[in-house]
Amino acid sequence: MSTYVVGDVQGCDAELGELLSLIRFDPARDRVYFVGDLVNRGPASAAALRRVKQLADAGAADSVLGNHDFFLIMAHAGLARPHPGDTLDDVLAAPDADALIEWLRHRPLLLDLPWATLVHAGLLPAWDLPEARQLAREIESALRTPDPLPFLRELFGNEPRKWSPDLVGMARARVVVNAFARMRFCSADSTLEFAEKRDRTYAPTGFSPWFAHPERGSRSRRVVAGHWSSEGFRRWPNVTLLDSGCLWGGALTALRLDDEAVFQVPSRQPASLIVD
């Protein structure tokens, strides 16, 4: 049995199929986990989502929620309108759309494996792992209610930008979701920065990559994340980033956690400036 983690797929289903063939993935024996953003901007969001769901239904896969996955949930609920460049119509018009979204809505924000903790974007410096797990569970419980619309309707937004354990209600939920699903840079006091999407050399004044704060509470645990395609595939002590920009003409990456072997397939998408 081997355990793999795969970077952001974003609707690049052909590359995902090629990657699973490359690693000779056997759902009866192996397990594969995804760091979120299964959908959007690539050419086959429905096929990619359906493939991962089928593997998960067989007990061979799971995924954390990414920002594009959240956006799909919102669009399906009628609370968000796809932007130019979004490729969610094939999901929204699919005969199994309700089942796909229902499955996606029940995915975690944080997954603990024996080797690592998986999130989509990152963990705020103020959070240790027990607190991060608790906060993830709060959001997951709200998403999984029979009627999540009141929660979803108030979820999107950039404010507040600074975490405090005293936050309550939707202000608290918004910071938590933004950190787990959207964060790249933050300050040492866990203030989020949303404008800069380039790599860590472009850190705004007063901000650093979320993983670069020396006193971050999760530093003793290995964290595997995606989201930061301009940063690419990177490994540092206790941090691995897996979004190697398949959507933008880069590659789709799988990391085998058993022995740290790395597998990549080239993108079939045209090379493009990374914007998200």
Side-chain angles (χ1 to χ4, degrees):
M1 174 179 173
S2 294
T3 302
Y4 301 88
V5 185
V6 174
D8 301 37
V9 176
Q10 291 202 247
C12 296
D13 183 63
E15 291 90 335
L16 176 55
E18 186 178 348
L19 183 61
L20 293 173
S21 295
L22 175 66
I23 64 177
R24 299 180 180 180
F25 184 77
D26 181 351
R29 179 195 63 204
D30 302 325
R31 297 293 178 268
V32 60
Y33 297 92
F34 296 83
V35 293
D37 277 4
L38 299 175
V39 300
N40 207 12
R41 308 291 174 84
S45 289
L49 183 56
R50 197 173 288 120
R51 184 194 296 269
V52 177
K53 180 182 181 298
Q54 288 171 350
L55 289 171
D57 289 345
D62 205 349
S63 178
V64 296
L65 283 168
N67 54 303
H68 287 285
D69 307 318
F70 267 105
F71 188 76
L72 173 57
I73 293 169
M74 298 282 285
H76 181 262
L79 300 175
R81 183 175 298 177
H83 307 105
D86 287 337
T87 58
L88 299 174
D89 288 350
D90 63 340
V91 183
L92 297 173
D96 56 346
D98 290 349
L100 291 171
I101 303 303
E102 182 71 3
W103 176 82
L104 194 62
R105 188 166 62 87
H106 283 75
R107 304 283 47 82
L109 270 73
L110 178 152
L111 263 172
D112 279 313
L113 304 179
W115 302 268
T117 292
L118 275 53
V119 296
H120 177 61
L123 297 172
L124 282 170
W127 297 346
D128 60 18
L129 260 298
E131 183 173 23
R133 293 182 186 111
Q134 175 192 330
L135 294 169
R137 301 294 94 84
E138 290 179 14
I139 303 302
E140 292 158 13
S141 295
L143 283 173
R144 296 169 185 177
T145 59
D147 180 14
L149 283 178
F151 176 75
L152 291 171
R153 193 174 286 117
E154 302 297 326
L155 185 58
F156 273 17
N158 291 343
E159 301 297 336
R161 294 174 186 253
K162 182 178 179 180
W163 166 253
S164 167
D166 297 328
L167 288 171
V168 297
M170 291 310 302
R172 178 183 180 91
R174 212 171 289 126
V175 177
V176 172
V177 170
N178 284 339
F180 274 114
R182 297 178 59 200
M183 176 173 60
R184 293 179 180 89
F185 296 102
C186 64
S187 65
D189 68 355
S190 291
T191 299
L192 293 157
E193 197 283 334
F194 297 113
E196 183 57 70
K197 297 180 179 180
R198 293 172 294 180
D199 65 60
R200 64 192 186 281
T201 64
Y202 292 93
T205 301
F207 294 88
S208 297
W210 64 268
F211 53 81
H213 295 282
E215 299 303 316
R216 67 180 174 92
S218 58
R219 64 189 181 278
S220 63
R221 169 73 166 165
R222 184 183 187 182
V223 179
V224 179
H227 185 58
W228 207 337
S229 53
S230 57
E231 192 63 49
F233 172 60
R234 296 284 187 271
R235 282 190 281 198
W236 293 280
N238 276 359
V239 174
T240 302
L241 300 182
L242 284 181
D243 186 357
S244 46
C246 185
L247 174 64
W248 310 106
L252 187 62
T253 299
L255 172 68
R256 189 164 61 203
L257 292 175
D258 314 70
D259 60 1
E260 295 296 309
V262 176
F263 304 85
Q264 292 185 316
V265 297
S267 172
R268 301 186 185 188
Q269 314 312 310
S272 176
L273 179 67
I274 295 172
V275 295
D276 188 16

